[in-house]
Amino acid sequence: MAEQLGLEGMPKRLYSAAPTRLLTFLDCPRRYRFTYLDRPPPPKGPPWAHNSLGSAVHNALAEWWRLPLERRTVEAAGDLVESGWLTQGFRNDKQALQQRDRAREMVERYVVDLDPADEPVGIERVVGLTTPRASLWGRVDRIDDRPEGLVIVDYKTGRHALTVDDARASLPMAVYAAATARTLRRPCLRVELHHLPTGEVLAWDHTEESLARQLRRADSLAAEVARSDQAFRQGLSDQQADEVFPARPGPICGWCDFNRVCGPGSAVRSPLDPWAGVPADE
Ligand code: SF4
């Protein structure tokens, strides 16, 4: 409580953010500035096909659980992919159709192993918590009720293989687990990445201590981002803005929406094709 009090005994305002906002700052402060602070924001590149595919799959799985129990069939899951399909970012109609069929197949394969009667505690549920300096929140794909406690499930649709380390080190998932435990007042230590393209489940069991460590990390990062936001609001020259929000060029630049307006980023990586994140035509 003492940490939340200002000089005159007034509560300090907590920095409100989703963990993804903090991670954007960590990855590249300039990208963070482009995304969250510059208004109007600089022009973005075209939409990504992998985002279209990911949204359609996430929406289908969420809608499937909202169907009445008797309609939660494998075929219904596939139908939801088709009815909610998004075509932005694909190379052409042929690729969009191929990927729609692939997405349908991966969702149906995934749903075969689900028990439709095993009602999750939450679907796309927003959970939140406060740390000494931040108010953190996020939307969880699914919260399962298992004998070992509540479990955070995050669907993944990208091409690259995942490892248990991705689940263990994920700041957002740790925040969601801690926030779920606080919101629902029940233990929540397990986090799982469900990789739809391979059917793999990458699980990690946190401890109270490992969650506390991640919350301290999020709190410290939020404090740093809050200071940078405040400096931006007070007005920065171009040079000062580049110092507070430095570009951090690297492999992510090819995937960055702002590559075309970022000198340092475009110097190291050309923007990738919008369909680079999905398999080539079959
Ligand atoms: S192109 Fe690279 S350096 Fe530039 S904003 Fe994007 S991620 Fe940062």
Side-chain angles (χ1 to χ4, degrees):
M1 183 66 187
E3 287 175 87
Q4 293 188 34
L5 296 179
L7 283 178
E8 294 156 20
M10 296 292 288
K12 261 192 196 169
R13 190 189 296 182
L14 299 175
Y15 186 75
S16 176
T20 45
R21 177 171 178 144
L22 306 182
L23 290 184
T24 302
F25 184 87
L26 198 61
D27 284 344
C28 177
R30 181 172 291 188
R31 173 148 84 163
Y32 170 86
R33 192 189 100 199
F34 287 157
T35 306
Y36 295 104
L37 302 180
D38 280 345
R39 292 296 176 264
K44 282 184 171 185
W48 297 94
H50 61 269
N51 285 346
S52 294
L53 184 147
S55 295
V57 168
H58 278 75
N59 291 341
L61 288 171
E63 288 306 315
W64 188 77
W65 282 110
R66 294 185 184 116
L67 293 173
L69 177 57
E70 68 277 7
R71 288 182 51 207
R72 288 179 202 158
T73 62
V74 171
E75 192 184 9
D79 290 347
L80 285 166
V81 173
E82 289 206 22
S83 61
W85 188 243
L86 304 163
T87 56
Q88 289 182 315
F90 293 99
R91 181 202 284 267
N92 50 36
D93 290 349
K94 182 179 167 210
Q95 191 191 35
L97 277 177
Q98 282 179 342
Q99 291 305 312
R100 187 197 68 185
D101 292 347
R102 174 176 163 262
R104 175 174 189 133
E105 194 235 309
M106 73 168 88
V107 165
E108 289 186 344
R109 201 175 52 226
Y110 178 74
V111 165
V112 162
D113 293 330
L114 297 180
D115 176 357
D118 194 4
E119 205 77 45
V121 177
I123 293 293
E124 295 192 338
R125 178 159 183 166
V126 175
V127 293
L129 55 65
T130 59
T131 62
R133 292 170 288 187
S135 170
L136 303 171
W137 53 272
R139 191 183 298 273
V140 184
D141 287 344
R142 198 174 91 210
I143 304 171
D144 280 355
D145 190 354
R146 311 245 189 97
E148 66 267 32
L150 300 177
V151 177
I152 300 297
V153 173
D154 194 25
Y155 304 129
K156 292 290 177 194
T157 57
R159 296 176 66 186
H160 65 280
L162 299 169
T163 68
V164 169
D165 256 6
D166 292 307
R168 180 189 62 76
S170 166
L171 181 74
M173 291 184 82
V175 169
Y176 299 159
T180 296
R182 282 194 208 177
T183 306
L184 300 178
R185 299 174 196 280
R186 290 181 53 195
C188 182
L189 295 170
R190 171 170 279 230
V191 295
E192 293 182 353
L193 296 170
H194 290 201
H195 190 237
L196 275 286
T198 58
E200 280 191 312
V201 172
L202 295 312
W204 181 254
D205 289 311
H206 277 288
T207 61
E208 295 294 349
E209 176 47 35
S210 67
L211 285 183
R213 243 191 337 266
Q214 290 277 34
L215 291 185
R216 286 196 293 275
R217 182 176 161 224
D219 182 70
S220 151
L221 194 49
E224 186 184 349
V225 179
R227 281 193 296 276
S228 303
D229 280 15
Q230 190 176 12
F232 183 86
R233 278 196 302 274
Q234 287 170 346
L236 297 171
S237 67
D238 286 350
Q239 190 188 338
Q240 287 169 328
D242 285 347
E243 285 166 13
V244 177
F245 301 97
R248 212 162 271 161
I252 60 165
C253 296
W255 299 101
C256 178
D257 284 330
F258 302 107
N259 180 297
R260 291 162 185 80
V261 294
C262 175
S266 55
V268 298
R269 285 282 194 287
S270 300
L272 288 157
D273 288 328
W275 52 87
V278 298
D281 292 1
E282 289 148 14

